[in-house]
Amino acid sequence: MKICVFSTNYSYRWLQNIHKLDIENVEFDIVFYKDLQHLTEIFKENYLKYTAVLCSGQIPYLHIKKSCPAEFASIPFQFIDITERDLYFHITKVQYENPGFRFKDALIDFLYEENNYLSLKEWLPEEDFPYTLSTSIQVFGEPNAYELVAKRHLELLEEDKIKYCFTRLTNLFTYFSHVDVMPILVTPSLKSMEAAVQKLLKEVEVYNLTLSQVVCGHLQFTFAENDFLENEYRQVALYKAILDFNRKFGYSLVIYRSSLHNEIITNFSDYLHITNDETKCSLATFLHEQLPFKVKIGWGIGQTLAIAQAQAEKASSYCLKPFTESYRINKEDKLLGPLDGTNAAAIVEQAHSFLEEIAKETNLSIFYLERLYDMTRTFDKNSFTAEEVSIHLSVSTRTANRLLKKLTEYSYAAIIETLATPSGKGRPKNLFDLRLEQPDDTD
């Protein structure tokens, strides 16, 4: 596997250690960018050459996610994060050199909700907590992220509120030429880099499984009222046209005929080719040119063939125009389309506004709520232990328990069973039922 690692020249001093990782069948190629505009350009030029992409930090990761959403979604992507171990290593060093060090005299710009403030909030009193850049990692996705980080540090220094500037931005020192304080650079350890790469390799596995998932297409022709022969002709003509499409473009779509519709089965990889990465459906174009009647095309993908079939049939019901159209419903029940080239996978669906309401009510991060909701869809169930939640959200079991406890307080979760450990020793585990349904989910 070839992994592209995007970085600035400033980060190369620590990032070059990635070549020391002993990971079989993985080759790293470090590509440098001068600024964020240059990053966008070289990413678009290079990403198709690689199995996956890794960023040296959250700024290039979030910038690509915002500036190139289609390309970002088409390849496994991760960034190397600072871990609790990395932070405490540097804190210990500073405390040794400065016995009077206090957390409240510092700004640590890489603490935010998404990394659970590296667990500092679990033991450090609020009055002693360090200054932070923002409550969310999303601030690093702003076009002027570097300037925002520097401004925050410098303003607090000028106001004499801090004495220590902890940062993971290797170029932050370039903004400090006119002040006496130098930022304390916290860089990921080799162990943190390995953890990020292993996480990325898991994403590659999931991505490859996704490409091999079964996709169902539901093709329904318009019926001619009270004309049995015409309907029989349309059924045969549609079947023949799909065969011609297979032959002309080299696909191997499996076709099933019924009196009401035709169904095709393919894999996700071929589906992406047929729909040009969900922008324009070549099958819809071909059938429009070949047949004198309208065909409704719906695509569906799910954990099982039955779910994919149901999604495909539902997607086809959105084809309301008087000509052949194509829509898709994805595993999050979002409707994408029409796939006609004018709308690159437009989402015709309400955003998860109900999760935003839950976030306001419970004071929990929307980031965690979205991942919990996606868990229920991915695994097609609502019941999880705190240990399962911690694994899938990449948080500590303590944090998972805190999230579940808060959801339980507001009736968005409930303990439905207490599970004894297999050995009969140790604390029993609670099984929580998550109740994060959309308003229509219960209809």
Side-chain angles (χ1 to χ4, degrees):
M1 285 186 248
K2 290 192 70 175
I3 295 179
C4 178
V5 186
F6 285 112
S7 170
T8 63
N9 282 308
Y10 295 109
S11 297
Y12 183 68
R13 186 172 180 179
W14 64 266
L15 188 61
Q16 62 182 326
N17 291 321
I18 202 167
H19 294 298
K20 296 179 182 178
L21 294 178
D22 185 20
I23 301 177
E24 194 175 349
N25 297 324
V26 173
E27 178 185 332
F28 298 101
D29 188 3
I30 299 178
V31 177
F32 297 104
Y33 63 92
K34 300 172 187 174
D35 51 43
L36 294 179
Q37 184 178 349
H38 182 229
L39 172 62
T40 302
E41 294 168 1
I42 59 174
F43 169 68
K44 287 185 174 182
E45 289 172 7
N46 291 285
Y47 80 99
L48 289 176
K49 303 174 186 175
Y50 296 95
T51 310
V53 174
L54 187 65
C55 287
S56 59
Q58 62 271 61
I59 288 181
Y61 173 88
L62 291 170
H63 175 76
I64 292 174
K65 185 177 181 180
K66 279 189 173 184
S67 62
C68 315
E71 294 88 349
F72 176 90
S74 68
I75 187 170
F77 221 113
Q78 273 297 331
F79 69 92
I80 304 171
D81 208 354
I82 296 292
T83 64
E84 292 178 25
R85 179 189 177 95
D86 300 328
L87 172 64
Y88 292 133
F89 173 81
H90 285 82
I91 291 289
T92 302
K93 185 179 177 183
V94 170
Q95 285 179 321
Y96 177 77
E97 295 172 351
N98 303 272
F101 170 81
R102 298 183 302 176
F103 276 97
K104 65 181 181 180
D105 293 333
L107 165 60
I108 305 177
D109 62 29
F110 46 86
L111 300 178
Y112 31 75
E113 282 189 355
E114 289 85 349
N115 65 5
N116 194 35
Y117 296 94
L118 295 181
S119 297
L120 282 182
K121 283 201 170 184
E122 294 182 12
W123 62 271
L124 192 61
E126 189 175 342
E127 60 270 20
D128 293 330
F129 204 77
Y131 288 90
T132 61
L133 180 65
S134 170
T135 59
S136 175
I137 192 176
Q138 298 304 323
V139 68
F140 289 98
E142 296 296 323
N144 59 337
Y146 292 107
E147 288 76 13
L148 286 173
V149 176
K151 183 181 178 184
R152 174 76 168 149
H153 280 279
L154 293 171
E155 282 180 348
L156 290 173
L157 283 171
E158 288 169 9
E159 294 168 10
D160 205 24
K161 291 182 177 179
I162 60 172
K163 300 177 182 177
Y164 309 94
C165 297
F166 289 86
T167 186
R168 66 158 305 171
L169 304 189
T170 49
N171 67 335
L172 188 66
F173 75 92
T174 61
Y175 295 87
F176 277 56
S177 56
H178 62 290
V179 294
D180 295 333
V181 177
M182 284 301 289
I184 300 164
L185 182 62
V186 180
T187 58
S189 63
L190 190 60
K191 198 163 187 174
S192 301
M193 284 189 265
E194 183 175 11
V197 173
Q198 293 295 353
K199 191 174 181 181
L200 182 61
L201 296 181
K202 288 290 182 187
E203 277 201 26
V204 171
E205 286 181 27
V206 172
Y207 179 75
N208 290 336
L209 284 173
T210 300
L211 291 181
S212 62
Q213 283 185 98
V214 174
V215 176
C216 180
H218 184 95
L219 287 78
Q220 186 171 334
F221 56 86
T222 51
F223 283 83
E225 289 187 23
N226 304 318
D227 193 336
F228 173 78
L229 291 176
E230 174 63 21
N231 287 329
E232 193 172 70
Y233 155 72
R234 293 185 180 187
Q235 183 193 46
V236 173
L238 176 56
Y239 182 77
K240 179 181 179 300
I242 299 171
L243 290 175
D244 290 341
F245 178 79
N246 268 351
R247 195 177 299 113
K248 181 174 181 179
F249 296 102
Y251 292 112
S252 301
L253 304 177
V254 179
I255 312 167
Y256 295 95
R257 279 168 51 178
S258 79
S259 57
L260 300 176
H261 69 277
N262 281 264
E263 191 171 272
I264 56 178
I265 307 296
T266 186
N267 58 48
F268 193 68
S269 181
D270 277 355
Y271 161 76
L272 290 178
H273 281 104
I274 292 169
T275 60
N276 192 25
D277 290 330
E278 299 192 312
T279 57
K280 186 171 184 179
C281 179
S282 58
L283 178 59
T285 302
F286 183 82
L287 296 181
H288 177 73
E289 294 171 351
Q290 298 295 316
L291 301 173
F293 51 86
K294 171 186 173 178
V295 179
K296 299 178 179 181
I297 304 175
W299 299 98
I301 180 171
Q303 296 299 312
T304 66
L305 179 58
I307 292 174
Q309 288 170 322
Q311 287 180 327
E313 185 173 358
K314 183 178 178 182
S316 70
S317 68
Y318 287 88
C319 301
L320 302 175
K321 293 181 181 175
F323 49 81
T324 297
E325 287 186 286
S326 177
Y327 281 84
R328 177 203 168 192
I329 289 181
N330 65 14
K331 64 182 180 182
E332 290 85 21
D333 282 338
K334 291 181 179 178
L335 180 70
L336 285 76
L339 306 179
D340 60 2
T342 61
N343 215 336
I347 297 176
V348 190
E349 194 235 14
Q350 313 94 334
H352 289 169
S353 55
F354 70 102
L355 291 180
E356 293 174 4
E357 293 301 320
I358 295 174
K360 288 178 186 175
E361 186 180 353
T362 60
N363 201 28
L364 291 174
S365 166
I366 186 70
F367 171 80
Y368 287 138
L369 291 174
E370 285 180 342
R371 293 182 71 182
L372 284 170
Y373 180 74
D374 288 342
M375 269 180 64
T376 64
R377 292 308 181 96
T378 300
F379 295 98
D380 197 24
K381 66 174 187 174
N382 292 322
S383 303
F384 300 92
T385 63
E387 287 74 14
E388 289 173 319
V389 169
S390 72
I391 291 169
H392 296 297
L393 266 64
S394 299
V395 296
S396 66
T397 304
R398 182 184 294 182
T399 299
N401 269 311
R402 181 177 63 81
L403 292 168
L404 292 167
K405 183 180 177 183
K406 181 62 74 86
L407 289 171
T408 302
E409 286 175 13
Y410 287 86
S411 301
Y412 292 112
I415 299 173
I416 56 174
E417 192 178 349
T418 300
L419 307 172
T421 57
S423 63
K425 299 177 181 179
R427 295 181 61 183
K429 298 177 182 178
N430 290 325
L431 184 65
F432 291 85
D433 183 48
L434 295 177
R435 297 168 181 176
L436 303 174
E437 298 91 351
Q438 297 190 58
D440 335 334
D441 285 352
T442 54
D443 289 348

